[in-house]
């Protein structure tokens, strides 16, 4: 076999190998583009998730503050009820004393 015949045999094999290499290169470029898109999408999703996390943290802090304020208001309300009860007791005592004074005044009148 002479060198020209050998080249004739190698040429189709090289051509086929180059075609396969071209297909693989095209697929690799396509995969690279898809990977870049996926990376960008993931980055956007992480940004959105971070924003939602910040919002949730803010809402939880606000809720905690509102619960504290509500507890303080309940405590103040309980104190006011206690003060009101004490005032009612005093008023009852004053009413009793006033009734006693009025009764004594009635007995002193001719």
């Amino acid at each position: 076999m002479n060198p020209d015949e050998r080249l004739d045999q190698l040429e189709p094999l090289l051509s086929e190998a180059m075609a396969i290499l071209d297909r693989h290169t095209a697929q690799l470029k396509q995969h690279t583009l898809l990977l870049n898109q996926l990376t960008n999408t993931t980055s956007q999703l992480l940004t959105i998730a971070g924003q939602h996390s910040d919002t949730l943290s803010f809402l939880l802090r606000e809720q905690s503050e509102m619960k504290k304020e509500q507890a303080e208001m309940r405590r103040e309300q309980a104190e006011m009820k206690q003060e009101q009860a004490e005032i009612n007791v005093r008023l009852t005592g004053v009413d009793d004393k006033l009734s006693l004074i009025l009764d004594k005044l009635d007995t002193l009148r001719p």
Side-chain angles (χ1 to χ4, degrees), residues 4 22 27 44 51 55 69 88 94 102:
D4 285 339
D22 287 343
Q27 288 174 350
Q44 291 171 351
Q51 291 170 348
T55 302
E69 290 175 6
N88 286 341
V94 170
L102 289 175

Side-chain angles (χ1 to χ4, degrees), residues 18-57:
M18 293 302 290
I20 291 171
L21 184 62
D22 287 343
R23 277 198 315 267
H24 287 172
T25 302
Q27 288 174 350
L28 184 60
K29 286 180 182 178
Q30 190 176 22
H31 289 158
T32 302
L33 288 174
L34 291 173
L35 183 60
N36 285 338
Q37 288 176 351
L38 181 62
T39 302
N40 290 338
T41 302
T42 302
S43 176
Q44 291 171 351
L45 289 174
L46 287 173
T47 301
I48 291 169
Q51 291 170 348
H52 286 295
S53 176
D54 291 345
T55 302
L56 287 174
S57 294

